Amino acid sequence: MTQALRGTSIIAGQSVPGTNGTTKAIDPSTNSSLDPEYSKLDATQVKRATQAAADAFREYRATNPNERAAFLEAIARRIDGKREEIVGRAMAETGLPHARLNGEVGRTVGQLRLFADVVREGNYHGVRIDPAQPERSPAPRLDIRQRRVPLGPVVVFGASNFPLAFSVAGGDTAAALAAGCPVIVKAHNAHPGTGELVGQAIAEAVFESDMPSGVFSLLYGSGSEIGQQLAADPLVRAIGFTGSRRGGLSLAATAAAREVPIPVYAEMSSINPVIMFEGALDSESSGAPELAEQFIGSLTGSSGQLCTAPGLVFVPAGGRGDAFVAAVSAGLDGQTGQTMLTPGIAEAFAEGVSDLENEENVSTVGRGVPGEGENAPAPVVFSADLAELRSNPVLRNEVFGAASVIVRYSDVESLAEALDELEGQLTVTVHASEADNAAVTSLMPVLEDLAGRILFNGWPTGVEVGHAMVHGGPFPATSAPATTSVGSLAIERFLRPVAYQSVPVALQPEPVQDSNPWSVPRQIDGKITRG
Amino acid sequence: MTQALRGTSIIAGQSVPGTNGTTKAIDPSTNSSLDPEYSKLDATQVKRATQAAADAFREYRATNPNERAAFLEAIARRIDGKREEIVGRAMAETGLPHARLNGEVGRTVGQLRLFADVVREGNYHGVRIDPAQPERSPAPRLDIRQRRVPLGPVVVFGASNFPLAFSVAGGDTAAALAAGCPVIVKAHNAHPGTGELVGQAIAEAVFESDMPSGVFSLLYGSGSEIGQQLAADPLVRAIGFTGSRRGGLSLAATAAAREVPIPVYAEMSSINPVIMFEGALDSESSGAPELAEQFIGSLTGSSGQLCTAPGLVFVPAGGRGDAFVAAVSAGLDGQTGQTMLTPGIAEAFAEGVSDLENEENVSTVGRGVPGEGENAPAPVVFSADLAELRSNPVLRNEVFGAASVIVRYSDVESLAEALDELEGQLTVTVHASEADNAAVTSLMPVLEDLAGRILFNGWPTGVEVGHAMVHGGPFPATSAPATTSVGSLAIERFLRPVAYQSVPVALQPEPVQDSNPWSVPRQIDGKITRG
């Protein structure tokens, strides 16, 4: 390693040893602990980070598009520069394979560069101009201009299952920094070393780019204690969170009870229904056996520990549906479990699987074998009928890991009713051929009310980072269904609109000036103009 | 009157007498009650309205832009068609003058027509298209398209102080209907007849336009009981509210505690600081006397019962500031109180004024005389120094009505600190000349963090309804600072994004189809294109 892990927090550019005990990462494949020790911060130390962020806010938000975009690119470059070091440490801390983590580094730096483009393009300013109409009667219209301004310091809680793309320099961090908000990351205790390497990259980029040091901090400590303190801190203006429903709701409750409530963008829970139609199972190009193989691949990748893993698959009762189920059963035979992220996650998975096994009207379709080493349980698929799903909440719980339930349905009407009864989802997937179009057409409004992303003839795992992506959806997929945590639209989480009425040109912010010095797209009298 | 007031609720196109007691409007100028009696709904009857809205949702959201815009225009036309009837009843119920209410009808129908334009223009769909890149390596990019979909049934609670523009067919109703959401209005008990006339206009437009009847209901009953029931109803997907902080927070708490929380867009409380600089007071065109006269006009219009009334005016200590204060004092001498909206509001005003009078370090600058009839208290202006404002929360409370506090400041640094300590505001106003630019420039980020609208050399009352307006701001100005309750951006409150991945063209919604049949503006690969 070119730079030693220090085991300390980073607060406004300084390495800060904590005074509140220590913690170590655990290699989940062996249950052994990994050096170094990470020292945990006490409440006073945590407060230094939010104060530094608040102090940095007005200087940071005043950066121009090139400065801010270059800063994001500097972070990307520095992460890319220690790619192997990061991947190596992340493998040890998470049990995830090299290819997956290497891809995740690519996604992380791609995300940062996407937001650099967004900053330069400038559409995110949301500029609207209604020019004065001095001649209007009965009263003249005054000049009104609108843009979005950043909210202030943002706290990010990373996810265990994406130690890079949803962690220290993940989507929330990139979006908040792009919006002009300082970021405080609560480091995930399951991958502290990975987090520190990325945190060092950001701190170096802050220094290199001459940004105010408080624009970034990385804090080690107890998730619940520090989390509650940060959510309650009056200097914090928004929270990004990816993780458990319990964790997200706890932060949301604290944030709502503040004297000044703040938004919590929590991505929490989703079982990602997949709906198979006869036409797809009959298809020559990808019939039942091929779809079964793809399903198993999507379910078992990353040991099923993906927010978008297919946890519920609706399959026609009888006919080609039987062939699909038989192929899944056969396909699981050869499947070996992969190491899960933490012993705790593996334990929760075992409990969720056991709950399903104990249900009278749930049968086991197939099961693989445990992998080598610790915490590598066998993937498993269950099945039940539609009536059982509708009456039994156990089947609708998320089991985080490679477990899924196949639900056999007889008609599209009762399928639609069952879908309407599900909780909000990140994704819903349809496998259908043209022959199924009539049935699918009637289902589209149901799917739109159910999920943030609707996809056809593919699998929900693998989330493209672009402008059109929505990684969100109705509660409890996220606490904030009007937004996304992946893709360029995420920048809007950290902005709010301000109107400028009759403000002299010399005092107008650049994006709303008539001369449009930053060449941003705008709406003038409600009509779009290119920048 | 061409159509008698029935004193009943309207549920999905039907006149429904309530079974839960009755209420009558009160003429605040005489404290006498006005016919007819309004019968109040019980819980079972209220539930019929949300069920009807839920039943209507999928049919209504499927309307095309011309159908939906024509429906909004039909509502506008029918309200305009009974303008005098509406204004007459509203005068009796609110004590507001003819000109003000006639203007408010104009604003209400203008708002509906603006949203008809927004529906036809189509930018609100928020379409983003990232076309497939089959040749991309290492993995091909799939076709992803995004648009916004409506949330579902919306409940609107109107304001007492805008019986038209923020009530039955007000901004929230217009925005929600434009978004494709059915609307249930809880009628305000202070102007039930005005509400019924407007509700009849909407119901007639629903029928004329062949919309599903459940798309609109108007409910009479106890505000707190029905309000809590509606906020807790699982079929309700969002709430728009304009009113007191206590009322808004109570709805927000209920909405957050639901199994599936929903957004509450509550506009609540604002004292709308106005900042005078020496340059403005010195100005030849509008010096201290002119500004004092304008201030009194803005403060006393509609008896001060405007969300944006100037409740706090920062004036330089000494110098021309003294001339301004003297002119305010003299100007108030001739001012007669105007009838307030309800006896309860007049009582609360008297309490707020009394609280200020009892403060040791607060003095009275000037006071008018009570108006004729009941509930027409004298307008009054107090003054205090900046230190008192910063230490005494009584000075920062909203007193709803024609009362304001002039705060004398000595330097811009401590002014900026005092502004940073204020709660979030709908507006902040600056009176300054070019000579003040250096001081104002340093203040701009403070103002942007403080309020939803910054205006120069004017007065905050009078809210233009256009594309660039923001009527919102940090909490407690509104519970949802990322949105506005006035202007076309308000439509976004009632929408959320959905991504369509590899969805066959035959199943794509019109706004995301390559052929763009509705000619909506879109972002393709992050670049704006006109429709």
Side-chain angles (χ1 to χ4, degrees), chain B residues 102-130:
Chain B
N102 190 49
E104 198 181 326
V105 173
R107 173 170 165 180
T108 304
V109 302
Q111 231 161 218
L112 288 157
R113 290 176 178 138
L114 175 74
F115 278 106
D117 291 345
V118 166
V119 166
R120 289 205 176 90
E121 171 73 12
N123 191 44
Y124 80 94
H125 294 291
V127 174
R128 292 165 168 234
I129 299 177
D130 293 343

PDB file of all heavy atoms in Angstrom, chain B residues 102-130:
ATOM      1  N   ASN B 102     -62.614  40.464  -6.180  1.00  0.00           N
ATOM      2  CA  ASN B 102     -62.741  40.390  -7.635  1.00  0.00           C
ATOM      3  C   ASN B 102     -61.376  40.070  -8.256  1.00  0.00           C
ATOM      4  O   ASN B 102     -61.264  39.237  -9.155  1.00  0.00           O
ATOM      5  CB  ASN B 102     -63.284  41.715  -8.169  1.00  0.00           C
ATOM      6  CG  ASN B 102     -63.663  41.599  -9.632  1.00  0.00           C
ATOM      7  OD1 ASN B 102     -64.364  40.671 -10.032  1.00  0.00           O
ATOM      8  ND2 ASN B 102     -63.173  42.544 -10.434  1.00  0.00           N
ATOM      9  N   GLY B 103     -60.346  40.712  -7.725  1.00  0.00           N
ATOM     10  CA  GLY B 103     -58.990  40.405  -8.186  1.00  0.00           C
ATOM     11  C   GLY B 103     -58.626  38.961  -7.906  1.00  0.00           C
ATOM     12  O   GLY B 103     -57.961  38.304  -8.704  1.00  0.00           O
ATOM     13  N   GLU B 104     -59.103  38.471  -6.767  1.00  0.00           N
ATOM     14  CA  GLU B 104     -58.753  37.094  -6.411  1.00  0.00           C
ATOM     15  C   GLU B 104     -59.448  36.078  -7.323  1.00  0.00           C
ATOM     16  O   GLU B 104     -58.881  35.026  -7.622  1.00  0.00           O
ATOM     17  CB  GLU B 104     -59.105  36.843  -4.938  1.00  0.00           C
ATOM     18  CG  GLU B 104     -58.389  35.624  -4.394  1.00  0.00           C
ATOM     19  CD  GLU B 104     -58.720  35.327  -2.938  1.00  0.00           C
ATOM     20  OE1 GLU B 104     -58.940  36.285  -2.161  1.00  0.00           O
ATOM     21  OE2 GLU B 104     -58.771  34.137  -2.588  1.00  0.00           O
ATOM     22  N   VAL B 105     -60.668  36.403  -7.784  1.00  0.00           N
ATOM     23  CA  VAL B 105     -61.301  35.524  -8.782  1.00  0.00           C
ATOM     24  C   VAL B 105     -60.428  35.488 -10.033  1.00  0.00           C
ATOM     25  O   VAL B 105     -60.156  34.427 -10.600  1.00  0.00           O
ATOM     26  CB  VAL B 105     -62.731  35.996  -9.141  1.00  0.00           C
ATOM     27  CG1 VAL B 105     -63.290  35.161 -10.288  1.00  0.00           C
ATOM     28  CG2 VAL B 105     -63.652  35.910  -7.938  1.00  0.00           C
ATOM     29  N   GLY B 106     -59.953  36.665 -10.440  1.00  0.00           N
ATOM     30  CA  GLY B 106     -59.094  36.728 -11.621  1.00  0.00           C
ATOM     31  C   GLY B 106     -57.836  35.883 -11.455  1.00  0.00           C
ATOM     32  O   GLY B 106     -57.431  35.152 -12.363  1.00  0.00           O
ATOM     33  N   ARG B 107     -57.250  35.981 -10.276  1.00  0.00           N
ATOM     34  CA  ARG B 107     -56.050  35.196 -10.031  1.00  0.00           C
ATOM     35  C   ARG B 107     -56.359  33.702 -10.044  1.00  0.00           C
ATOM     36  O   ARG B 107     -55.578  32.894 -10.566  1.00  0.00           O
ATOM     37  CB  ARG B 107     -55.483  35.600  -8.664  1.00  0.00           C
ATOM     38  CG  ARG B 107     -54.325  34.746  -8.221  1.00  0.00           C
ATOM     39  CD  ARG B 107     -53.669  35.346  -7.013  1.00  0.00           C
ATOM     40  NE  ARG B 107     -52.795  34.377  -6.367  1.00  0.00           N
ATOM     41  CZ  ARG B 107     -52.084  34.613  -5.294  1.00  0.00           C
ATOM     42  NH1 ARG B 107     -52.120  35.803  -4.728  1.00  0.00           N
ATOM     43  NH2 ARG B 107     -51.314  33.694  -4.778  1.00  0.00           N
ATOM     44  N   THR B 108     -57.523  33.340  -9.513  1.00  0.00           N
ATOM     45  CA  THR B 108     -57.896  31.928  -9.439  1.00  0.00           C
ATOM     46  C   THR B 108     -58.106  31.343 -10.829  1.00  0.00           C
ATOM     47  O   THR B 108     -57.593  30.261 -11.146  1.00  0.00           O
ATOM     48  CB  THR B 108     -59.174  31.786  -8.588  1.00  0.00           C
ATOM     49  OG1 THR B 108     -58.930  32.370  -7.307  1.00  0.00           O
ATOM     50  CG2 THR B 108     -59.569  30.334  -8.431  1.00  0.00           C
ATOM     51  N   VAL B 109     -58.831  32.059 -11.672  1.00  0.00           N
ATOM     52  CA  VAL B 109     -59.053  31.518 -13.017  1.00  0.00           C
ATOM     53  C   VAL B 109     -57.763  31.610 -13.837  1.00  0.00           C
ATOM     54  O   VAL B 109     -57.470  30.732 -14.660  1.00  0.00           O
ATOM     55  CB  VAL B 109     -60.245  32.200 -13.737  1.00  0.00           C
ATOM     56  CG1 VAL B 109     -61.526  32.050 -12.925  1.00  0.00           C
ATOM     57  CG2 VAL B 109     -59.983  33.664 -14.014  1.00  0.00           C
ATOM     58  N   GLY B 110     -56.952  32.634 -13.566  1.00  0.00           N
ATOM     59  CA  GLY B 110     -55.661  32.740 -14.250  1.00  0.00           C
ATOM     60  C   GLY B 110     -54.757  31.564 -13.904  1.00  0.00           C
ATOM     61  O   GLY B 110     -54.055  31.023 -14.769  1.00  0.00           O
ATOM     62  N   GLN B 111     -54.808  31.164 -12.642  1.00  0.00           N
ATOM     63  CA  GLN B 111     -54.021  30.025 -12.169  1.00  0.00           C
ATOM     64  C   GLN B 111     -54.441  28.736 -12.890  1.00  0.00           C
ATOM     65  O   GLN B 111     -53.612  27.937 -13.315  1.00  0.00           O
ATOM     66  CB  GLN B 111     -54.317  29.854 -10.681  1.00  0.00           C
ATOM     67  CG  GLN B 111     -53.148  29.763  -9.792  1.00  0.00           C
ATOM     68  CD  GLN B 111     -53.485  30.058  -8.326  1.00  0.00           C
ATOM     69  OE1 GLN B 111     -52.689  30.673  -7.668  1.00  0.00           O
ATOM     70  NE2 GLN B 111     -54.604  29.633  -7.806  1.00  0.00           N
ATOM     71  N   LEU B 112     -55.741  28.539 -12.999  1.00  0.00           N
ATOM     72  CA  LEU B 112     -56.237  27.339 -13.680  1.00  0.00           C
ATOM     73  C   LEU B 112     -55.803  27.343 -15.145  1.00  0.00           C
ATOM     74  O   LEU B 112     -55.408  26.310 -15.698  1.00  0.00           O
ATOM     75  CB  LEU B 112     -57.768  27.282 -13.567  1.00  0.00           C
ATOM     76  CG  LEU B 112     -58.290  26.929 -12.162  1.00  0.00           C
ATOM     77  CD1 LEU B 112     -59.720  27.429 -11.970  1.00  0.00           C
ATOM     78  CD2 LEU B 112     -58.217  25.414 -11.927  1.00  0.00           C
ATOM     79  N   ARG B 113     -55.857  28.518 -15.770  1.00  0.00           N
ATOM     80  CA  ARG B 113     -55.463  28.597 -17.189  1.00  0.00           C
ATOM     81  C   ARG B 113     -53.957  28.434 -17.353  1.00  0.00           C
ATOM     82  O   ARG B 113     -53.485  27.842 -18.335  1.00  0.00           O
ATOM     83  CB  ARG B 113     -55.956  29.920 -17.795  1.00  0.00           C
ATOM     84  CG  ARG B 113     -57.485  29.920 -17.929  1.00  0.00           C
ATOM     85  CD  ARG B 113     -58.077  31.228 -18.431  1.00  0.00           C
ATOM     86  NE  ARG B 113     -59.541  31.083 -18.554  1.00  0.00           N
ATOM     87  CZ  ARG B 113     -60.442  31.985 -18.198  1.00  0.00           C
ATOM     88  NH1 ARG B 113     -60.039  33.162 -17.716  1.00  0.00           N
ATOM     89  NH2 ARG B 113     -61.728  31.751 -18.328  1.00  0.00           N
ATOM     90  N   LEU B 114     -53.196  28.942 -16.384  1.00  0.00           N
ATOM     91  CA  LEU B 114     -51.741  28.720 -16.425  1.00  0.00           C
ATOM     92  C   LEU B 114     -51.444  27.218 -16.399  1.00  0.00           C
ATOM     93  O   LEU B 114     -50.608  26.723 -17.169  1.00  0.00           O
ATOM     94  CB  LEU B 114     -51.071  29.403 -15.228  1.00  0.00           C
ATOM     95  CG  LEU B 114     -49.569  29.139 -15.081  1.00  0.00           C
ATOM     96  CD1 LEU B 114     -48.770  29.913 -16.124  1.00  0.00           C
ATOM     97  CD2 LEU B 114     -49.064  29.508 -13.676  1.00  0.00           C
ATOM     98  N   PHE B 115     -52.125  26.488 -15.523  1.00  0.00           N
ATOM     99  CA  PHE B 115     -51.854  25.053 -15.449  1.00  0.00           C
ATOM    100  C   PHE B 115     -52.352  24.316 -16.692  1.00  0.00           C
ATOM    101  O   PHE B 115     -51.788  23.291 -17.070  1.00  0.00           O
ATOM    102  CB  PHE B 115     -52.417  24.456 -14.161  1.00  0.00           C
ATOM    103  CG  PHE B 115     -51.496  24.683 -12.993  1.00  0.00           C
ATOM    104  CD1 PHE B 115     -51.788  25.614 -12.015  1.00  0.00           C
ATOM    105  CD2 PHE B 115     -50.304  23.981 -12.894  1.00  0.00           C
ATOM    106  CE1 PHE B 115     -50.925  25.847 -10.952  1.00  0.00           C
ATOM    107  CE2 PHE B 115     -49.430  24.205 -11.846  1.00  0.00           C
ATOM    108  CZ  PHE B 115     -49.742  25.138 -10.875  1.00  0.00           C
ATOM    109  N   ALA B 116     -53.399  24.854 -17.340  1.00  0.00           N
ATOM    110  CA  ALA B 116     -53.805  24.278 -18.632  1.00  0.00           C
ATOM    111  C   ALA B 116     -52.666  24.434 -19.644  1.00  0.00           C
ATOM    112  O   ALA B 116     -52.337  23.499 -20.381  1.00  0.00           O
ATOM    113  CB  ALA B 116     -55.083  24.944 -19.140  1.00  0.00           C
ATOM    114  N   ASP B 117     -52.024  25.610 -19.630  1.00  0.00           N
ATOM    115  CA  ASP B 117     -50.866  25.822 -20.515  1.00  0.00           C
ATOM    116  C   ASP B 117     -49.735  24.855 -20.170  1.00  0.00           C
ATOM    117  O   ASP B 117     -49.065  24.320 -21.053  1.00  0.00           O
ATOM    118  CB  ASP B 117     -50.332  27.258 -20.367  1.00  0.00           C
ATOM    119  CG  ASP B 117     -51.296  28.299 -20.930  1.00  0.00           C
ATOM    120  OD1 ASP B 117     -52.222  27.915 -21.670  1.00  0.00           O
ATOM    121  OD2 ASP B 117     -51.122  29.491 -20.609  1.00  0.00           O
ATOM    122  N   VAL B 118     -49.504  24.684 -18.864  1.00  0.00           N
ATOM    123  CA  VAL B 118     -48.428  23.788 -18.423  1.00  0.00           C
ATOM    124  C   VAL B 118     -48.696  22.368 -18.912  1.00  0.00           C
ATOM    125  O   VAL B 118     -47.793  21.669 -19.375  1.00  0.00           O
ATOM    126  CB  VAL B 118     -48.316  23.823 -16.875  1.00  0.00           C
ATOM    127  CG1 VAL B 118     -47.453  22.678 -16.359  1.00  0.00           C
ATOM    128  CG2 VAL B 118     -47.754  25.166 -16.416  1.00  0.00           C
ATOM    129  N   VAL B 119     -49.951  21.943 -18.847  1.00  0.00           N
ATOM    130  CA  VAL B 119     -50.308  20.595 -19.297  1.00  0.00           C
ATOM    131  C   VAL B 119     -50.056  20.463 -20.796  1.00  0.00           C
ATOM    132  O   VAL B 119     -49.521  19.457 -21.262  1.00  0.00           O
ATOM    133  CB  VAL B 119     -51.780  20.292 -18.952  1.00  0.00           C
ATOM    134  CG1 VAL B 119     -52.270  19.055 -19.694  1.00  0.00           C
ATOM    135  CG2 VAL B 119     -51.941  20.121 -17.445  1.00  0.00           C
ATOM    136  N   ARG B 120     -50.403  21.498 -21.564  1.00  0.00           N
ATOM    137  CA  ARG B 120     -50.200  21.421 -23.015  1.00  0.00           C
ATOM    138  C   ARG B 120     -48.721  21.505 -23.386  1.00  0.00           C
ATOM    139  O   ARG B 120     -48.259  20.819 -24.283  1.00  0.00           O
ATOM    140  CB  ARG B 120     -50.980  22.540 -23.730  1.00  0.00           C
ATOM    141  CG  ARG B 120     -52.494  22.336 -23.708  1.00  0.00           C
ATOM    142  CD  ARG B 120     -53.192  23.051 -24.874  1.00  0.00           C
ATOM    143  NE  ARG B 120     -54.631  22.754 -24.883  1.00  0.00           N
ATOM    144  CZ  ARG B 120     -55.544  23.479 -24.236  1.00  0.00           C
ATOM    145  NH1 ARG B 120     -55.181  24.551 -23.550  1.00  0.00           N
ATOM    146  NH2 ARG B 120     -56.820  23.135 -24.286  1.00  0.00           N
ATOM    147  N   GLU B 121     -47.969  22.337 -22.668  1.00  0.00           N
ATOM    148  CA  GLU B 121     -46.536  22.504 -22.947  1.00  0.00           C
ATOM    149  C   GLU B 121     -45.789  21.195 -22.646  1.00  0.00           C
ATOM    150  O   GLU B 121     -44.902  20.784 -23.387  1.00  0.00           O
ATOM    151  CB  GLU B 121     -45.983  23.654 -22.109  1.00  0.00           C
ATOM    152  CG  GLU B 121     -44.469  23.823 -22.106  1.00  0.00           C
ATOM    153  CD  GLU B 121     -43.911  24.378 -23.413  1.00  0.00           C
ATOM    154  OE1 GLU B 121     -44.709  24.840 -24.237  1.00  0.00           O
ATOM    155  OE2 GLU B 121     -42.678  24.320 -23.605  1.00  0.00           O
ATOM    156  N   GLY B 122     -46.108  20.563 -21.526  1.00  0.00           N
ATOM    157  CA  GLY B 122     -45.604  19.206 -21.275  1.00  0.00           C
ATOM    158  C   GLY B 122     -44.239  19.097 -20.633  1.00  0.00           C
ATOM    159  O   GLY B 122     -43.741  17.990 -20.430  1.00  0.00           O
ATOM    160  N   ASN B 123     -43.630  20.228 -20.281  1.00  0.00           N
ATOM    161  CA  ASN B 123     -42.319  20.137 -19.631  1.00  0.00           C
ATOM    162  C   ASN B 123     -42.405  19.403 -18.294  1.00  0.00           C
ATOM    163  O   ASN B 123     -41.441  18.796 -17.842  1.00  0.00           O
ATOM    164  CB  ASN B 123     -41.757  21.539 -19.417  1.00  0.00           C
ATOM    165  CG  ASN B 123     -40.304  21.518 -18.990  1.00  0.00           C
ATOM    166  OD1 ASN B 123     -39.506  20.765 -19.552  1.00  0.00           O
ATOM    167  ND2 ASN B 123     -39.962  22.295 -17.989  1.00  0.00           N
ATOM    168  N   TYR B 124     -43.598  19.452 -17.685  1.00  0.00           N
ATOM    169  CA  TYR B 124     -43.746  18.856 -16.357  1.00  0.00           C
ATOM    170  C   TYR B 124     -43.570  17.341 -16.375  1.00  0.00           C
ATOM    171  O   TYR B 124     -43.383  16.735 -15.320  1.00  0.00           O
ATOM    172  CB  TYR B 124     -45.116  19.226 -15.756  1.00  0.00           C
ATOM    173  CG  TYR B 124     -46.255  18.398 -16.276  1.00  0.00           C
ATOM    174  CD1 TYR B 124     -46.668  17.254 -15.587  1.00  0.00           C
ATOM    175  CD2 TYR B 124     -46.921  18.725 -17.456  1.00  0.00           C
ATOM    176  CE1 TYR B 124     -47.722  16.477 -16.050  1.00  0.00           C
ATOM    177  CE2 TYR B 124     -47.953  17.966 -17.929  1.00  0.00           C
ATOM    178  CZ  TYR B 124     -48.350  16.837 -17.225  1.00  0.00           C
ATOM    179  OH  TYR B 124     -49.373  16.064 -17.693  1.00  0.00           O
ATOM    180  N   HIS B 125     -43.659  16.730 -17.542  1.00  0.00           N
ATOM    181  CA  HIS B 125     -43.429  15.281 -17.594  1.00  0.00           C
ATOM    182  C   HIS B 125     -41.999  14.927 -17.183  1.00  0.00           C
ATOM    183  O   HIS B 125     -41.720  13.797 -16.814  1.00  0.00           O
ATOM    184  CB  HIS B 125     -43.696  14.739 -18.997  1.00  0.00           C
ATOM    185  CG  HIS B 125     -45.132  14.831 -19.433  1.00  0.00           C
ATOM    186  ND1 HIS B 125     -46.121  14.077 -18.867  1.00  0.00           N
ATOM    187  CD2 HIS B 125     -45.740  15.608 -20.372  1.00  0.00           C
ATOM    188  CE1 HIS B 125     -47.286  14.373 -19.433  1.00  0.00           C
ATOM    189  NE2 HIS B 125     -47.088  15.304 -20.356  1.00  0.00           N
ATOM    190  N   GLY B 126     -41.091  15.895 -17.284  1.00  0.00           N
ATOM    191  CA  GLY B 126     -39.712  15.651 -16.879  1.00  0.00           C
ATOM    192  C   GLY B 126     -39.055  14.531 -17.671  1.00  0.00           C
ATOM    193  O   GLY B 126     -38.316  13.722 -17.116  1.00  0.00           O
ATOM    194  N   VAL B 127     -39.320  14.486 -18.968  1.00  0.00           N
ATOM    195  CA  VAL B 127     -38.843  13.350 -19.766  1.00  0.00           C
ATOM    196  C   VAL B 127     -37.326  13.392 -19.952  1.00  0.00           C
ATOM    197  O   VAL B 127     -36.754  14.436 -20.292  1.00  0.00           O
ATOM    198  CB  VAL B 127     -39.541  13.315 -21.142  1.00  0.00           C
ATOM    199  CG1 VAL B 127     -38.936  12.225 -22.020  1.00  0.00           C
ATOM    200  CG2 VAL B 127     -41.036  13.096 -20.955  1.00  0.00           C
ATOM    201  N   ARG B 128     -36.709  12.282 -19.700  1.00  0.00           N
ATOM    202  CA  ARG B 128     -35.277  12.086 -19.926  1.00  0.00           C
ATOM    203  C   ARG B 128     -35.113  10.767 -20.667  1.00  0.00           C
ATOM    204  O   ARG B 128     -35.677   9.758 -20.258  1.00  0.00           O
ATOM    205  CB  ARG B 128     -34.537  11.995 -18.588  1.00  0.00           C
ATOM    206  CG  ARG B 128     -34.538  13.312 -17.813  1.00  0.00           C
ATOM    207  CD  ARG B 128     -34.126  13.093 -16.364  1.00  0.00           C
ATOM    208  NE  ARG B 128     -33.854  14.378 -15.736  1.00  0.00           N
ATOM    209  CZ  ARG B 128     -32.724  14.690 -15.110  1.00  0.00           C
ATOM    210  NH1 ARG B 128     -31.748  13.787 -14.986  1.00  0.00           N
ATOM    211  NH2 ARG B 128     -32.540  15.883 -14.584  1.00  0.00           N
ATOM    212  N   ILE B 129     -34.337  10.798 -21.714  1.00  0.00           N
ATOM    213  CA  ILE B 129     -34.110   9.584 -22.498  1.00  0.00           C
ATOM    214  C   ILE B 129     -32.609   9.352 -22.629  1.00  0.00           C
ATOM    215  O   ILE B 129     -31.877  10.227 -23.072  1.00  0.00           O
ATOM    216  CB  ILE B 129     -34.768   9.704 -23.906  1.00  0.00           C
ATOM    217  CG1 ILE B 129     -36.290   9.882 -23.744  1.00  0.00           C
ATOM    218  CG2 ILE B 129     -34.444   8.479 -24.756  1.00  0.00           C
ATOM    219  CD1 ILE B 129     -37.037  10.076 -25.053  1.00  0.00           C
ATOM    220  N   ASP B 130     -32.162   8.179 -22.191  1.00  0.00           N
ATOM    221  CA  ASP B 130     -30.788   7.737 -22.423  1.00  0.00           C
ATOM    222  C   ASP B 130     -30.884   6.570 -23.401  1.00  0.00           C
ATOM    223  O   ASP B 130     -31.159   5.433 -23.008  1.00  0.00           O
ATOM    224  CB  ASP B 130     -30.129   7.265 -21.118  1.00  0.00           C
ATOM    225  CG  ASP B 130     -29.920   8.407 -20.119  1.00  0.00           C
ATOM    226  OD1 ASP B 130     -29.973   9.578 -20.524  1.00  0.00           O
ATOM    227  OD2 ASP B 130     -29.689   8.107 -18.930  1.00  0.00           O
TER     228      ASP B 130
END
